[in-house]
Structures are given as structure tokens and as C-alpha cells.
Amino acid sequence: MGLVEDLLGNKYLITPPAYYLLADHYMEAFTLAELVKFAKSRGTFVIDSSIASDFLREKGIFSSAPLETPPEEIHEESEIFGGNEVSLSGDNGSELTASVETSGYDIVPAESLDENPDLERTPQTSISTGEPPETAVESVSSMELKPEKTAFSEGESFVSTGTTDTKGGLNVPADLGETVRNPSKAESDEILPLESGSSLRTSAAESSEASASESSALPVDGFSEVPSGTSLNGDYSNGYSNGNGYADSEEYYEENGEVKPKIVYGDYGVPIAYVEEVPEGEKSYSVYRDLIITPKEGFHYRAKEIPDDWEMVFDVKNVKFEAPKVKNAASKEGEIIIKSYTDYFKSRLRKMRRILRENPELGSVIDIGKLGYVGGDEEVTIIGLINSKRETAKGYMFEVEDNTGLIKVFINRNNEESKKFFQIMPDSVIGFRGHYSGRNIFFANKIFLPDVPRYKREKPPLEEKVYAVLLSDIHVGSNKFCERAFEKFLEWLNGEVNNRKEEELVSRIKYMILAGDVVDGVGIYPGQYNELEIPDIFDQYEALYNLLRNVPEHITMFIGPGNHDAARTALPQPGFYEEYARPLFKLKNAVMISNPAVVRLHGRDFLIFHGRGIEDVVNVIPNRSHHRPAEASVDLLKLRHLAPTFGEKVPIAPDPEDTLVIESVPDLFQTGHVHVMEYKIYNGVFVINAGTWQAQTEFQKMVNIVPTPARVPIIDVETARLRAVVSFDRFCEGV
């Protein structure tokens, strides 16, 4: 497409003289995003010759074309950006230098953890480790938080909040068995001595005065109690702004001897006061250019000596799609899209039939269109897409379709199998065994979900322990981003530890996985501008780069997109738009992945999915909520699909192949999106939501959602199980 069409697609206009100035250089000397950003900085959506000339001069392109005299100045106002202003002086939260006093940790032996089931919830930082019960489904979450003590039902796993001691605690079980223990501070029998430590962060503007010392307690082993929370959702927009979105005009006017800012009007006639444009390089927010964290001198990283062993098993970018074929050149665009979605669901049905046929209980499978050849007393199995489902007086009715036909399937409510009715989502692929009545009704007595096999083959042990860190929903750019907590986490990765147990953890961390929403984005939901600290999408990715460059080089990072990122909104997301997220591609130890993706670490498969499919699960399946995301993730595993329902909250791209089918069973299934850390083990698969690094937003306050920010799950790659949860939430403002 040409320059005019591209600009119109982003709701910008261009005058003919400006077009002739820019057209010859478009896509050679500059990109569309650069031009849009420049026009946005001038507060206008009309690119005239004066703006074009200024843009060419800024890009270093000489132009001798005459300037157009615009008939009238046109103003376009953007939102006035709110949020907390961050300066480089360290006066209001962006502290560039700091010293840390470390504190001792309480060690709770595993033997004492079973004796005290009631734990007090505290806001202290903690590292907790352990493993949930290896049962069909075991949950770790805290849906019902009480003022003093939290009661847990028998047979369920749970998380503890650590201790009420201001020093924090380090809870380490002697044996990471198959159950989650309850650490009790009152029964701890060992206390480690204090070890001194200091921040390794340096700055060009480093202060000579020591900053106020603070406790950096990081408690280990036994899990922290998980309150509930969720993330904001919305479509991604290309209408980015750099925070200077005010119309060009005279800055002030005089009234009754008083100088006032001139009033201009935005898109909907809302009066907006003119604010002087911030010159380039003098922005009111920080992108962490001065943040430099160096590894602690003398700290030994065992992970450096362990050879890399990772492989991209699945990435959407590597899938070769075949364009749908239309009847003739006169076919309409809508016909092509319909053909794409037809191919999409045929692909889903084909893959799911293969998965279901692996179940030895399935029996003989017959196409729906051939049921007329089957006798009424013969028991057969059909497999199809669920078009709809409803409850009747005597049971439950499904409408099921495959490539050969469509049929109604009925199951009596007295049948134990009928309980699966509530686990089935529209458009999922299910198997039914029963008898055909001959009146286009199939009477089922057994329902087969694709599901995960109960047993799987064990994998050989590793020679040495190696760990992976799971992160999600960092939301850099939000004024609720836990900046200080994330910096503390980076210092911790660089050897700023407090005892030998922490040193052992950090020294063996070799991988880091970031499952989407790494920045907050721009224009994701109404009113977001008021909650942005960095209102420019380009600067958000630069800020993230400046943070992640401090991750030790031996740690390989896998970074995928989410619905807040500069990427395709619909699932699956092949990756970041490099035009916006270019700084991330400069990270030497980072691998950009798709959403979803499967990464094999030392022979263990990690399925990484941002988790937007959880939204439809919450809407369709009873007793599901954003507060317990691991339960919703288990539902997706049972249906072997990351976004089964079409046409609801989750947008699905018209790709001719369904790449959201979980074709092979992973060892670990990681999600994010809902901002709550919770985990389960289901049929041998470790399911975990990695939480967030964003404190509670104004929207979350309105709907009473409490996220669990700044908690870092550390995974033992050999077992694909949780080794520890490191909590930095005490450094997160607003928690």
C-alpha cells in the first residue's frame, strides 16, 4: 500500500504538497510509525508541507521543495496523560542509587509444616518453596482471605504468606515431597545470621550520600498465600501517542491582566488546556537509561558451566499457512474469510480426532453421516464439534457436527457422565458413545473429553540441577508498574543474595520466560492514558530493554507477546511488531517467541501461553473466575485447546490451520493475563499462572480485584515443578 492509504488506515490525512515531499522517501528513509509519531508530537492528524519539511530535516533528508501555506491551522487534541511523574533525581521513586541492609531469615523445617494448618497472612516479602500434591487436580490459591487466619479445606494444597516478622523469612523444607506444607513461624527451630550486602546498581548521577537502608528480606520454600486478581483486556490500537499530544497554537492568552493557557478542544468537543510541548530528550519520565546493575564480584554462577540445552518445538512464525483457494477472481473478500474459517475448523476437527483416538476406551468411531447404516442396538462412537448445548427436563442436549453431517446428542441427567456437560465449551471437539435412534437423535451413555492422559513416561534425570524463572504481565509504562520491586529482582539475579540457600537458587537459574504483556501499551482500554507513566509505546519498549539488559548474560530469556503488546490482537500472535519493539531484538540473550509457543528445556516441554483463553472459560464454565486461573487452565487442558470458543471475548484469526490445539502434552503449562499467581498439578502436568508486576489499577479497585504482584516462581527444570517462590511485593508501592 502507498503512503496515503497507510496514513488513512491510521486516521491521518496528508495534503498533496506534503505527499510529493515524502512519497519518494517512504519506506526507504523513514517508516510509517516514525511519521505518525512525528505528526502526533505536533498535535495534528493533518500532515501538511511544513510538517513534512520539518520531518525531512529531522531525518537528515534535504528537500528544496516549496512550502505549502496551509489555508487554516488544524488542531487535534489527544488525552492529557496522567500518572506519577518520575524524575532522575530519585526524589519520587526512581532512586538511582541505593544501599541495602540484608536481614536474616527464619528457617522452618519440613517436619513442622504439617502441624499448623492455620496461618496468618502478612504482607512481608518471602521466598517460598515446595511442591503441590501430585493428584489429579491439586490447587494452590487463596480465594477466601480472612482478617486473622485462613482456613483450608482438607485435601487441598495451599499457599502461606510467610511470617509477620519485619525481617521476613526463608522457609526451606528438608524434602520437596508430593504435598505442600504449611510453614509456621512459631515452630521454626533455626535462624540464619545476617549477611551484609549492598546494591550493585550504579548510575551516571550517583549520589555521594548513602540512601536510607531498608530490609531486603526474601523468605524460601513453602509457598505464599495467593490473593485474587485479574488483568485488563482490550484490543490493540495503532493509534500510539508520545505524550505530547496537544494542538499547535499560541500557548497563552491574557484575560483581565492574568495570563492563562489557551483552551483548545479534543475529538469530542471536550475542552483541553494547552500544555507546552516537551522537547525531545527532556521528557518528564524515565526510561531507565541510567539503570546499570553489574554482577556481584566473586559471585559464582553454576549455570554458566551448564551447557545450553533448549529447542523451539513450536512457534507460530514457523508454521507455513496455505492461502485459501477461491472459485474465481471475482470472489468477494467475505467469501475468502469464510473459506479460511471453514478450513480452520476442519483443521481443529482433524487434529482433535487424532487426539481422541489415542484413548483405548473410545471403541469404533463412525462418521455422523453414516449413522443411518448402523443398527439401533449397536453401540458406536461419534466425534464432532459442539455447535450448541442446552439443558432439558430429563437431561442434556448437544448439537454435534463433523465433516459429514449434524446430529442431536442426548444424555440422561441420571447418568454420571452427564456431569461433563458443564466442562464442555462451545466449538470444542468431544466424543460420544451410545446408540443411534434412527430419528436423527443419538442417545449417549459415555462422554469422552480429549483430556490429558493420566499417566506419562518418565524422563531421564539431569546431571545437575538447573532452574527457570517464570514471569508475566510486567506492564512497563504503567504508573502501577512495580518499578522498585523489579529492580530488586534484577539485583537479586545479579548476586545480591542474603544467604547460602538463596545463592544456590540464583547460581543455577539459566532460563527466564516472559509470557506476554511485557509493556502496558497505548489505547488498550478506555481511560488508560490516565494510568500511564510512559505514554509512548516506543519509549515503553526502550524502558523494558533498559531493564532487561541487566539480566545476567548466561540467562536465556524467552519473550512472547500479550494483548497489551505491539502485536496482532487475534490469537495466535506470531510475535512482536519489530517496528515498535525493536529494542527487544537487540538483547543478545533474548529469544522472541510467539503466543502460544512450546520451548523444550533439557528435554522438558514448556507450553507458554499468555492466557487470554481464560476469559471464555470464566464466561462459560460454572464456578470459574479470574481469581483462580489455574482451574481455568486445567479446563483448557481437558479440552486440549487454548481458546475453544469462537466469537466470544477472545478474538481468533482466520488462519487456515488451528494452531491453538494442544497436540502434545507438555510437562509444564504457563499462563499469565489475569495477574494472579496460582498453580496446580493435573495428570502429571504442572499448571501455573505467573502473576504480574503491576499493582492494583483503578479499574481493578472498582471491580474489587486484588492482584498478586512481584512474586517470582522458580521452576526445577528436571522435574518441571516449583522449586521456590521469591516475593518482592514489599517493594511494590500500592500493595
Side-chain angles (χ1 to χ4, degrees):
M1 294 178 69
L3 177 59
V4 175
E5 291 85 354
D6 290 345
L7 286 171
L8 286 175
N10 285 271
K11 298 182 180 180
Y12 280 80
L13 303 176
I14 185 170
T15 62
Y19 172 79
Y20 291 116
L21 287 174
L22 298 172
D24 293 339
H25 306 290
Y26 181 49
M27 299 306 293
E28 295 182 1
F30 69 89
T31 64
L32 176 66
E34 291 172 328
L35 180 58
V36 168
K37 181 180 178 182
F38 184 83
K40 198 73 173 181
S41 69
R42 297 302 181 91
T44 180
F45 61 88
V46 178
I47 299 173
D48 56 26
S49 59
S50 62
I51 289 179
S53 299
D54 292 344
F55 176 69
L56 292 176
R57 292 191 192 97
E58 183 179 275
K59 298 295 294 181
I61 305 170
F62 175 77
S63 174
S64 58
L67 294 180
E68 173 198 25
T69 302
E72 184 177 359
E73 189 174 22
I74 302 176
H75 301 291
E76 168 74 355
E77 287 298 306
S78 66
E79 299 254 5
I80 298 180
F81 302 115
N84 300 326
E85 188 170 292
V86 178
S87 69
L88 297 179
S89 63
D91 294 333
N92 50 3
S94 64
E95 174 181 336
L96 295 176
T97 59
S99 62
V100 180
E101 287 186 5
T102 60
S103 55
Y105 302 109
D106 297 327
I107 307 299
V108 180
E111 292 77 5
S112 68
L113 299 180
D114 294 324
E115 302 174 8
N116 186 12
D118 295 328
L119 299 174
E120 291 187 1
R121 186 174 186 273
T122 74
Q124 299 301 316
T125 56
S126 62
I127 303 178
S128 54
T129 64
E131 183 172 337
E134 184 93 26
T135 60
V137 179
E138 298 293 340
S139 173
V140 182
S141 184
S142 65
M143 282 299 296
E144 299 152 9
L145 300 178
K146 298 183 179 180
E148 297 182 2
K149 294 189 177 182
T150 304
F152 299 90
S153 60
E154 185 176 354
E156 291 187 349
S157 57
F158 51 87
V159 279
S160 74
T161 56
T163 71
T164 56
D165 193 338
T166 56
K167 295 180 179 180
L170 180 61
N171 308 322
V172 184
D175 175 53
L176 294 175
E178 296 299 321
T179 61
V180 174
R181 316 286 175 89
N182 293 325
S184 170
K185 177 170 171 53
E187 297 180 355
S188 64
D189 59 359
E190 180 183 358
I191 298 179
L192 293 184
L194 286 180
E195 297 181 22
S196 61
S198 60
S199 171
L200 297 174
R201 201 154 36 98
T202 61
S203 166
E206 185 170 353
S207 171
S208 60
E209 297 181 4
S211 60
S213 60
E214 54 183 301
S215 172
S216 60
L218 305 170
V220 167
D221 265 309
F223 301 107
S224 322
E225 190 166 31
V226 181
S228 58
T230 188
S231 72
L232 297 171
N233 312 309
D235 290 337
Y236 194 82
S237 168
N238 288 328
Y240 304 113
S241 171
N242 67 349
N244 303 324
Y246 299 95
D248 295 329
S249 64
E250 294 297 327
E251 300 178 11
Y252 301 99
Y253 70 97
E254 187 173 344
E255 181 179 315
N256 298 328
E258 182 181 356
V259 178
K260 295 182 178 181
K262 183 175 180 179
I263 302 298
V264 291
Y265 294 86
D267 293 341
Y268 303 100
V270 179
I272 303 175
Y274 178 85
V275 177
E276 183 178 1
E277 183 176 314
V278 180
E280 187 70 25
E282 297 182 18
K283 296 174 181 177
S284 61
Y285 51 82
S286 168
V287 291
Y288 313 109
R289 289 192 184 96
D290 296 321
L291 180 65
I292 301 173
I293 304 174
T294 56
K296 185 176 181 179
E297 186 176 354
F299 189 87
H300 177 65
Y301 287 106
R302 184 67 190 92
K304 278 186 177 181
E305 303 164 5
I306 300 174
D308 289 340
D309 187 0
W310 65 267
E311 175 188 356
M312 285 302 305
V313 177
F314 172 77
D315 191 292
V316 178
K317 295 188 293 293
N318 299 332
V319 178
K320 303 296 183 183
F321 292 129
E322 188 173 329
K325 297 178 181 179
V326 295
K327 295 179 181 179
N328 52 59
S331 296
K332 298 179 181 179
E333 183 179 353
E335 294 177 3
I336 298 175
I337 295 176
I338 291 172
K339 180 66 167 62
S340 294
Y341 278 123
T342 301
D343 293 344
Y344 174 85
F345 283 105
K346 285 182 178 179
S347 168
R348 175 183 297 189
L349 182 60
R350 182 176 63 255
K351 292 180 178 182
M352 286 295 188
R353 285 176 68 96
R354 185 165 58 246
I355 292 171
L356 282 161
R357 283 179 177 274
E358 293 174 358
N359 187 341
E361 299 179 9
L362 203 65
S364 60
V365 179
I366 188 170
D367 292 336
I368 292 175
K370 297 179 181 179
L371 284 173
Y373 300 101
V374 176
D377 57 345
E378 184 178 353
E379 191 175 72
V380 295
T381 301
I382 60 172
I383 297 174
L385 283 157
I386 304 298
N387 283 348
S388 64
K389 64 174 189 173
R390 60 188 176 89
E391 187 173 357
T392 68
K394 295 184 178 180
Y396 305 98
M397 185 74 76
F398 301 87
E399 187 179 74
V400 183
E401 180 183 12
D402 69 3
N403 291 327
T404 63
L406 184 135
I407 195 172
K408 294 185 183 300
V409 177
F410 175 82
I411 186 166
N412 193 293
R413 68 171 62 251
N414 295 325
N415 190 324
E416 189 70 18
E417 290 287 304
S418 66
K419 294 180 180 178
K420 295 179 181 177
F421 171 85
F422 301 101
Q423 303 175 29
I424 297 173
M425 298 176 63
D427 302 320
S428 53
V429 178
I430 306 296
F432 298 92
R433 188 168 66 197
H435 303 273
Y436 179 57
S437 69
R439 293 175 296 176
N440 203 36
I441 295 181
F442 188 88
F443 291 95
N445 53 46
K446 182 77 173 177
I447 298 177
F448 297 97
L449 303 182
D451 217 333
V452 172
R454 190 173 294 275
Y455 305 102
K456 66 178 188 177
R457 186 180 303 172
E458 290 189 6
K459 298 186 177 180
L462 303 182
E463 294 182 3
E464 284 200 69
K465 288 290 184 183
V466 57
Y467 301 141
V469 171
L470 305 185
L471 305 180
S472 182
D473 296 85
I474 303 177
H475 287 276
V476 172
S478 168
N479 62 13
K480 299 298 182 180
F481 166 52
C482 298
E483 173 187 286
R484 180 66 177 143
F486 199 79
E487 291 177 13
K488 280 288 185 181
F489 165 62
L490 293 174
E491 292 173 3
W492 191 74
L493 285 180
N494 280 275
E496 187 66 22
V497 297
N498 302 307
N499 51 55
R500 296 291 295 275
K501 289 183 172 61
E502 285 187 54
E503 181 180 345
E504 171 69 11
L505 279 177
V506 173
S507 69
R508 293 185 178 275
I509 294 175
K510 192 168 184 63
Y511 305 102
M512 180 187 295
I513 300 174
L514 293 83
D517 281 2
V518 291
V519 300
D520 203 46
V522 176
I524 307 300
Y525 58 90
Q528 185 189 20
Y529 289 110
N530 297 324
E531 297 186 349
L532 287 178
E533 183 70 25
I534 303 177
D536 186 310
I537 187 67
F538 297 93
D539 287 344
Q540 288 181 11
Y541 279 106
E542 183 180 352
L544 178 64
Y545 163 79
N546 289 330
L547 289 169
L548 294 182
R549 67 181 177 177
N550 293 295
V551 173
E553 291 184 357
H554 69 275
I555 297 178
T556 302
M557 296 181 285
F558 300 94
I559 309 176
N563 57 294
H564 278 245
D565 285 300
R568 180 170 79 175
T569 303
L571 295 179
Q573 295 176 291
F576 297 96
Y577 292 143
E578 188 172 352
E579 186 175 357
Y580 299 97
R582 185 169 285 114
L584 296 186
F585 292 82
K586 297 190 295 183
L587 291 166
K588 296 180 179 179
N589 57 334
V591 179
M592 300 300 118
I593 62 176
S594 63
N595 172 38
V598 178
V599 180
R600 183 169 293 160
L601 303 179
H602 298 262
R604 279 69 178 170
D605 288 349
F606 285 52
L607 172 57
I608 305 158
F609 177 52
H610 178 60
R612 199 169 182 188
I614 292 173
E615 294 179 35
D616 284 346
V617 175
V618 171
N619 283 343
V620 174
I621 299 182
N623 302 320
R624 294 293 182 264
S625 75
H626 295 93
H627 303 264
R628 300 182 71 89
E631 289 182 350
S633 296
V634 168
D635 290 320
L636 295 178
L637 273 180
K638 289 179 179 179
L639 298 175
R640 296 291 289 272
H641 202 280
L642 298 173
T645 302
F646 177 80
E648 293 294 332
K649 285 191 173 183
V650 182
I652 296 176
D655 295 329
E657 181 181 342
D658 188 352
T659 55
L660 300 175
V661 175
I662 306 174
E663 295 190 67
S664 60
V665 180
D667 297 287
L668 182 143
F669 179 24
Q670 176 189 355
T671 60
H673 188 61
V674 295
H675 293 206
V676 177
M677 204 201 91
E678 189 195 25
Y679 59 91
K680 288 177 178 290
I681 292 179
Y682 177 71
N683 287 359
V685 180
F686 191 81
V687 180
I688 184 168
N689 191 288
T692 183
W693 289 87
Q694 184 183 41
Q696 189 180 42
T697 64
E698 293 303 318
F699 172 80
Q700 290 170 340
K701 289 178 182 177
M702 288 190 296
V703 295
N704 195 29
I705 291 172
V706 183
T708 60
R711 298 186 182 184
V712 182
I714 299 177
I715 300 298
D716 184 339
V717 173
E718 179 181 16
T719 61
R721 296 291 184 269
L722 194 62
R723 176 64 182 86
V725 173
V726 190
S727 182
F728 298 88
D729 57 358
R730 68 174 304 178
F731 304 108
C732 186
E733 188 176 338
V735 176

